[in-house]
Amino acid sequence: SQTIHQWPATLVQPVGSPLSLECTVEGTSNPNLYWYRQAAGRGLQLLFYSVGIGQISSEVPQNLSASRPQDRQFILSSKKLLLSDSGFYLCAWTPSPADTQYFGPGTRLTVL
Amino acid sequence: QKEVEQDPGPLSVPEGAIVSLNCTYSNSAFQYFMWYRQYSRKGPELLMYTYSSGNKEDGRFTAQVDKSSKYISLFIRDSQPSDSATYLCAKANAGGTSYGKLTFGQGTILTVHP
């Protein structure tokens, strides 16, 4: 069966510090991968998606970036965090675009 | 206008009640619909998934889609305290440049009290 992992689970970072969040999927190959952010009391905002290694599409201009160095690994990064980057970051995968998405446990990021 | 509109609630009901959660959507491109349940500080989990208009049942849950009025609903029968969570509706486009991307409603916070 397929499983999706995210780490760290929680993170507290100062403004201006770098960020690296990791997502990995097990039990499947060539998944579509997604990064979402969920602010308190809001729905999910799609940040990036990837259909293959090295292929990244950005949905929202911001100071975040994403990379996919391996088939089942998706990384969210920032060089300098802003206060507004605080939120709950979720990674999701799907076996194909026409299928539903399955979410990881999330990373709660607090920028102080 | 947001692509998917959902009343954020909060909604509080007694145990055993029938719960109705609703969303409206715009953009009539062919699409499919999902309901996710999200417990506090957890990732969303898929509850229901449907392509077509009409009803789809799974245990105590029924998803209803009315494409003519662009309305989607989730009904929970015999609600339990364990159903207390945030419920997110989502739609996905099945064609064009938006293929496969999900658009979520804001989420409805549901509390079922004993």
Side-chain angles (χ1 to χ4, degrees):
Chain A
S1 64
Q2 299 88 5
T3 54
I4 180 169
H5 304 279
Q6 286 186 247
W7 63 88
T10 59
L11 191 59
V12 180
Q13 292 284 94
V15 169
S17 63
L19 173 74
S20 181
L21 304 181
E22 188 166 343
C23 169
T24 58
V25 182
E26 295 178 355
T28 187
S29 59
N30 197 32
N32 287 353
L33 296 171
Y34 304 82
W35 277 113
Y36 290 87
R37 177 169 58 202
Q38 186 176 33
R42 292 191 172 185
L44 278 70
Q45 180 188 36
L46 179 62
L47 302 175
F48 301 94
Y49 70 97
S50 171
V51 298
I53 295 174
Q55 300 179 65
I56 309 294
S57 295
S58 173
E59 290 292 299
V60 181
Q62 61 223 325
N63 70 321
L64 299 172
S65 62
S67 62
R68 186 169 177 176
Q70 300 180 43
D71 181 43
R72 291 169 291 171
Q73 184 185 33
F74 205 21
I75 296 173
L76 183 70
S77 303
S78 174
K79 292 182 179 178
K80 287 186 178 182
L81 284 169
L82 307 173
L83 286 173
S84 58
D85 291 324
S86 293
F88 193 41
Y89 287 83
L90 289 154
C91 182
W93 76 277
T94 182
S96 73
D99 207 334
T100 191
Q101 292 180 20
Y102 301 93
F103 286 86
T107 294
R108 187 161 301 279
L109 172 66
T110 303
V111 183
L112 301 175
Chain B
Q1 182 188 9
K2 293 181 182 178
E3 254 192 280
V4 179
E5 300 267 9
Q6 183 176 6
D7 185 346
L11 184 62
S12 181
V13 302
E15 183 175 356
I18 296 174
V19 176
S20 172
L21 304 168
N22 307 295
C23 291
T24 59
Y25 65 93
S26 59
N27 186 351
S28 297
F30 175 74
Q31 51 211 346
Y32 51 101
F33 306 92
M34 283 141 282
W35 283 96
Y36 286 85
R37 177 175 61 195
Q38 185 177 22
Y39 291 115
S40 180
R41 299 182 173 270
K42 303 290 185 183
E45 58 178 320
L46 179 69
L47 276 179
M48 304 286 286
Y49 174 29
T50 179
Y51 280 106
S52 58
S53 286
N55 294 350
K56 181 177 181 180
E57 283 193 28
D58 184 1
R60 296 184 295 111
F61 299 91
T62 299
Q64 187 177 78
V65 177
D66 183 344
K67 288 191 174 182
S68 62
S69 59
K70 300 180 185 176
Y71 203 79
I72 54 177
S73 301
L74 178 71
F75 298 97
I76 308 174
R77 293 184 297 280
D78 187 24
S79 56
Q80 304 295 309
S82 57
D83 295 327
S84 299
T86 297
Y87 290 80
L88 297 154
C89 62
K91 74 170 185 69
N93 293 332
T97 58
S98 297
Y99 186 45
K101 295 179 192 176
L102 299 187
T103 303
F104 285 85
Q106 190 176 352
T108 299
I109 300 171
L110 171 68
T111 301
V112 181
H113 51 87

